[in-house]
Each structure stands twice: as structure tokens, then as C-alpha cells.
Amino acid sequence: MLCVIGCGIAGYLAYLEITPSHAICGPIGHCQSVQQSDYARLFGILPIGFLGVAGYVAIIITWLIGRTGYYKWADLAGLVFLGMTIPGILFSIYLTFLEPFVIGATCIWCLSSAILMTILAQFSVAPGKLAFTHLRTKSSSFQPKLAA
């Protein structure tokens, strides 16, 4: 559910970045200033909102694969889930730092996405640890047969 909300937020931000629409920001922040800044596009090309949508969709797919129950893929999905949320939260921290200190404005939508990614990262720790434990015990029990 968190990823669906994240997709909605990131989709809205992507829409704002590619259209001349003005952000509905409410009483907190200056979303339009953030959306029009140089930091609204990755490498000046890819709107950050599209990157967010892609990230949330990838996390949903990984979560679904992890829920299949097939051990090899479920374990790998647990590690990938953790591996996607950690860079996601680090990138969110970077963008959140830029808002007040570089851009001089704050976007409530961006902060909401950062909070969602933080919660997802917390939820990814247990499956990631479990997957790591499963994969480590499977690899340590592997004994190759030696030719006589």
C-alpha cells in the first residue's frame, strides 16, 4: 500500500515536471520552486518524479516476487528489496537536504515521498536479514563432490 501511495505522489510530481501545471502545495512549502529548480531532473534530463515511479514500481514487483514463496527467488527478492530501499532513502535524504539549504524551498510532496521511502526501508530490513541468513546457510551447506 505504501508503494501505491508513493507511485501516486511520484506520478503527480512527474506530471508537474513535464507540464506547465502549478503544484498544489497547501500551506506548507513552495512546491513550485522545488519543481522548477535545476534539481528536479536527474542529470538535467530525467524528471525525478519518473525515477520515483520507477523505483516504487520496482519495489512492488520485488515484494510480489518475495511473496511467491519459491525459496530461491523469495530470498533474492528480500535482498533486492533491501538493496533498493537503502539507495532510495539515501537519495531522498540528499534531495531533502537540497530543498532548504540549496533550493531555498520545501515541497510537502517530496517530504511525503521521503517519509514513505524511510518506512519502506524499515520494512525491508527483516526480509533482507532473513534472505541473507537463508542464502548464507545454503551456500555453507554446499559441499562439492571431489573426483577420486
Side-chain angles (χ1 to χ4, degrees), residues 2-3 5-10 12-13 24-25 28 31 56 92 96 99 106-120:
L2 293 174
C3 286
I5 295 168
C7 278
I9 291 171
Y12 177 65
L13 293 174
I24 299 170
C25 200
I28 300 172
C31 297
Y56 284 118
S92 292
T96 302
E99 288 182 18
T106 303
C107 173
I108 193 68
W109 297 105
C110 301
L111 293 174
S112 299
S113 182
I115 290 167
L116 286 174
M117 190 56 70
T118 302
I119 295 168
L120 283 169

Side-chain angles (χ1 to χ4, degrees), residues 12-23 32 35-36 41:
Y12 177 65
L13 293 174
Y15 170 77
L16 292 174
E17 291 167 4
I18 62 170
T19 64
S21 302
H22 291 283
Q32 200 62 31
Q35 295 305 315
Q36 292 176 346
R41 293 181 179 266

Side-chain angles (χ1 to χ4, degrees), residues 5-147:
I5 295 168
C7 278
I9 291 171
Y12 177 65
L13 293 174
Y15 170 77
L16 292 174
E17 291 167 4
I18 62 170
T19 64
S21 302
H22 291 283
I24 299 170
C25 200
I28 300 172
H30 301 282
C31 297
Q32 200 62 31
S33 299
V34 174
Q35 295 305 315
Q36 292 176 346
S37 75
D38 293 337
Y39 299 97
R41 293 181 179 266
L42 187 64
F43 306 119
I45 301 168
L46 179 67
I48 296 296
F50 284 118
L51 183 65
V53 170
Y56 284 118
V57 167
I59 290 170
I60 290 171
I61 291 169
T62 302
W63 179 81
L64 288 171
I65 291 171
R67 303 292 293 178
T68 61
Y70 181 68
Y71 295 111
K72 181 179 178 181
W73 290 107
D75 287 340
L76 184 59
L79 288 176
V80 172
F81 181 34
L82 179 63
M84 284 192 297
T85 57
I86 298 303
I89 195 170
L90 293 174
F91 193 60
S92 292
I93 289 169
Y94 168 71
L95 293 174
T96 302
F97 170 81
L98 289 175
E99 288 182 18
F101 298 112
V102 178
I103 300 169
T106 303
C107 173
I108 193 68
W109 297 105
C110 301
L111 293 174
S112 299
S113 182
I115 290 167
L116 286 174
M117 190 56 70
T118 302
I119 295 168
L120 283 169
Q122 289 175 337
F123 284 147
S124 72
V125 172
K129 286 171 75 173
L130 182 64
F132 181 75
T133 302
H134 284 167
L135 292 171
R136 192 178 75 208
T137 56
K138 287 178 187 176
S139 66
S140 65
S141 66
F142 177 71
Q143 297 291 331
K145 294 182 179 179
L146 300 174

